[in-house]
Amino acid sequence: MNLIYKRATIEDLEILTKTRIEVLRSANKLDLSVDMSNVETETYNYYKKSLCDGTHIAYLVFDNDIFIGAGGVSFYTVMPTYHNPSGKKAYIMNMYTIPKYRRNGIAYHTLDLLVKDCKSRGVDCITLEATEMGRPLYQKYGFIPLNNEMELLKN
């Protein structure tokens, strides 16, 4: 393998959008019959804006010129708290490695790049949502489950 980790730019909108849809289909167990066209449009628009304004960073991973994985992080600010006086937060998402390349440390290295980017921006509060498959990777890196968060689901 000749692994190349590339920080995504605006020129990578298509591959970022395509990968996001693949991740969502996989995580939600959606087959190709499910219409994702609206999500795809909104995802493209999200990347177009956030890559330019710096509120999102993504890495693309290639084996030579073959795309094999990705990961991203979104940055946002909330009201400061005792445990997070800056109010700066980061949310890691869209971690993906194509199946035949899994278990080679690719996702771990991508995660490490993202966490280092967070730390370089002074962001210490980093969260993510883990699938069953991804949970061991995040625990190995040092992420722990949260017990106090709640979510209001639309009905």
Side-chain angles (χ1 to χ4, degrees):
M1 282 189 295
N2 180 32
L3 299 179
I4 302 162
Y5 293 81
K6 175 191 182 292
R7 182 134 164 211
T9 66
I10 199 74
E11 287 81 28
D12 299 309
L13 285 173
E14 296 295 331
I15 193 166
L16 287 166
T17 302
K18 179 179 181 247
T19 303
R20 177 67 177 159
I21 298 306
E22 285 180 35
V23 167
L24 291 173
R25 284 191 186 282
S26 176
N28 295 288
K29 297 176 177 54
L30 304 173
D31 63 36
L32 294 176
S33 69
V34 177
D35 181 17
M36 297 286 284
S37 57
N38 188 44
V39 175
E40 189 170 349
T41 299
E42 293 301 324
T43 297
Y44 182 91
N45 292 337
Y46 172 83
Y47 279 128
K48 189 174 181 182
K49 177 186 178 299
S50 64
L51 288 173
C52 290
D53 69 18
T55 57
H56 188 85
I57 291 173
Y59 284 93
L60 301 172
V61 187
F62 298 87
D63 181 2
N64 290 311
D65 60 349
I66 300 165
F67 171 76
I68 62 167
V73 61
S74 291
F75 298 97
Y76 60 104
T77 304
V78 297
M79 186 176 283
T81 65
Y82 173 75
H83 296 289
N84 186 14
S86 72
K88 294 178 182 179
K89 293 186 118 184
Y91 187 79
I92 292 178
M93 62 184 65
N94 217 43
M95 294 291 294
Y96 180 74
T97 306
I98 65 169
K100 81 176 204 174
Y101 283 89
R102 291 180 183 160
R103 305 278 182 238
N104 288 300
I106 294 165
Y108 191 92
H109 185 69
T110 304
L111 179 63
D112 189 53
L113 289 170
L114 294 168
V115 169
K116 285 177 179 172
D117 279 342
C118 294
K119 301 288 185 184
S120 75
R121 290 178 173 221
V123 180
D124 293 317
C125 185
I126 305 167
T127 58
L128 54 80
E129 185 177 336
T131 61
E132 268 314 301
M133 184 173 47
R135 190 165 280 114
L137 164 74
Y138 304 126
Q139 287 175 326
K140 179 180 175 185
Y141 196 90
F143 283 84
I144 58 170
L146 297 176
N147 298 320
N148 297 325
E149 287 195 7
M150 297 177 76
E151 180 178 8
L152 179 62
L153 299 175
K154 69 179 185 179
N155 296 342

